[in-house]
Amino acid sequence: YLFLSFLFSLLLGILGEDALLPAPQNISILSTNMKHFLTWSPVIIQGEIVRYSVEFQGEYEREYANESWIPTCECSLITATVCNITEDISATVAYNLRVRAVVGARRSEWGTLKGFFNRITTSLTPPLMKVTADGYHLLVELEDMGPAFQFCVLYWKEGQESRMQQKVVKDVSSVVHLDTMEAGPDYCVKAQTYVEAINRSSDFSQTQCVRVQGGTSMWLVTALISSAGFAVAGFAPPFFFLDAFVLQKVSEPPTQLILRGSEEAERCDLMVHVVPSEEVLRLWIQ
């Protein structure tokens, strides 16, 4: 009789141990940019290390697997009061989640999330980006937010907002070239994230503007080259006529040259004074 009473008392103690630990409270989801975390308030047991285990139940488990629950990938007997469930939330359906406290062989009741969680409700933030001007090239560098993300980038020349151009960026492993700029005006860029799995976009980022630094406008370079060409062409006729005049003088018979007299010869000597073309061009520019 005493032995049976002992066994009965021991069995009651074992069956009643779950009630010794309170269930976790204030269970909630924090979800930003497709990263999902389950959090809860700690269970305090004096002198003991409390551990926690988390399970989830998706649409398939509820409807086709007898409402079964699946342990999460990363949160079995952990001491933290937060669990990364991103890898477990793999579909855009309603999930239920629960957590319980464990101390040795003792366990609490399950604490369950109020309502369901669907990743379509995740908060999407604009991407971090850096806009630079490399010579005449407009470049943008976007943060890597994971394989689920792509980016819609809008860019335009200052004063031409109605003519914005768009570029969809899927690979952010390198700097993205957007446009070839002109010197003078600012070029502006803004971007937003897009997640195809949930068909949602974030707000646009703050606009960033840059301009060509220390460059000369291409049209100005072209104009200077053209002007130099016209200048050389403008000085060509005097040299041509001068050469023609000298050839004419040389080709005349010696008697005619003598008859023209010393005055004519002196005038000819003055006209044959040739100024180098580089000097003429320099004087014209001044």
Side-chain angles (χ1 to χ4, degrees):
Y1 177 78
L2 292 176
F3 179 70
L4 291 176
S5 298
F6 172 76
L7 288 179
F8 182 73
S9 299
L10 182 62
L11 183 60
L12 286 177
I14 294 174
L15 293 176
E17 277 190 338
D18 281 348
L20 297 177
L21 295 181
Q25 302 293 318
N26 302 317
I27 302 170
S28 62
I29 288 281
L30 299 176
S31 178
T32 303
N33 293 330
M34 298 294 284
K35 293 180 174 60
H36 321 298
F37 298 88
L38 186 73
T39 67
W40 57 90
S41 298
V43 173
I44 306 299
I45 304 297
Q46 191 67 31
E48 299 285 357
I49 298 177
V50 180
R51 299 181 182 275
Y52 306 93
S53 292
V54 177
E55 294 182 349
F56 69 92
Q57 182 187 77
E59 185 178 66
Y60 178 83
E61 289 75 30
R62 281 194 305 275
E63 297 185 5
Y64 306 105
N66 299 320
E67 298 186 347
S68 60
W69 291 80
I70 300 175
T72 58
C73 299
E74 300 182 7
C75 304
S76 177
L77 298 177
I78 62 173
T79 57
T81 57
V82 60
C83 173
N84 186 346
I85 58 173
T86 302
E87 297 299 322
D88 304 295
I89 308 300
S90 57
T92 309
V93 298
Y95 284 84
N96 203 353
L97 296 120
R98 66 184 187 180
V99 57
R100 71 177 173 187
V102 179
V103 175
R106 294 175 292 168
R107 299 177 179 181
S108 72
E109 296 286 344
W110 287 100
T112 304
L113 178 70
K114 293 182 179 180
F116 295 101
F117 170 70
N118 191 319
R119 67 182 185 179
I120 199 172
T121 63
T122 190
S123 175
L124 297 179
T125 63
L128 297 176
M129 69 174 188
K130 181 181 179 182
V131 180
T132 55
D134 183 5
Y136 290 94
H137 302 291
L138 178 63
L139 308 176
V140 63
E141 186 175 359
L142 297 158
E143 71 168 315
D144 188 352
M145 300 177 69
F149 286 81
Q150 50 188 281
F151 306 90
C152 174
V153 182
L154 299 181
Y155 56 97
W156 65 95
K157 186 194 300 186
E158 186 181 28
Q160 297 184 6
E161 287 78 2
S162 61
R163 298 172 60 185
M164 284 185 182
Q165 300 185 67
Q166 175 179 311
K167 191 180 188 76
V168 175
V169 179
K170 297 182 179 180
D171 181 12
V172 295
S173 59
S174 60
V175 177
V176 179
H177 179 270
L178 295 177
D179 202 359
T180 301
M181 302 186 292
E182 298 176 359
D186 284 348
Y187 283 75
C188 298
V189 181
K190 63 180 180 179
Q192 67 176 170
T193 57
Y194 173 72
V195 181
E196 186 176 9
I198 61 176
N199 193 28
R200 283 187 55 219
S201 300
S202 73
D203 294 333
F204 275 97
S205 64
Q206 293 291 322
T207 300
Q208 296 183 31
C209 299
V210 296
R211 64 173 59 185
V212 174
Q213 297 296 324
T216 303
S217 177
M218 295 304 295
W219 69 264
L220 182 57
V221 172
T222 304
L224 290 175
I225 294 174
S226 301
S227 299
F230 284 123
V232 173
F235 281 108
F239 296 139
F240 173 77
F241 291 128
L242 180 60
D243 292 342
F245 176 80
V246 173
L247 289 175
Q248 180 185 3
K249 289 294 182 179
V250 173
S251 62
E252 289 183 3
T255 54
Q256 293 183 6
L257 288 174
I258 294 172
L259 290 175
R260 290 183 181 274
S262 60
E263 182 180 351
E264 185 74 10
E266 290 176 1
R267 186 170 54 184
C268 179
D269 290 338
L270 292 173
M271 296 181 66
V272 177
H273 179 67
V274 178
V275 179
S277 59
E278 295 84 355
E279 180 68 16
V280 174
L281 182 58
R282 185 182 66 80
L283 293 172
W284 177 81
I285 293 174
Q286 291 178 350

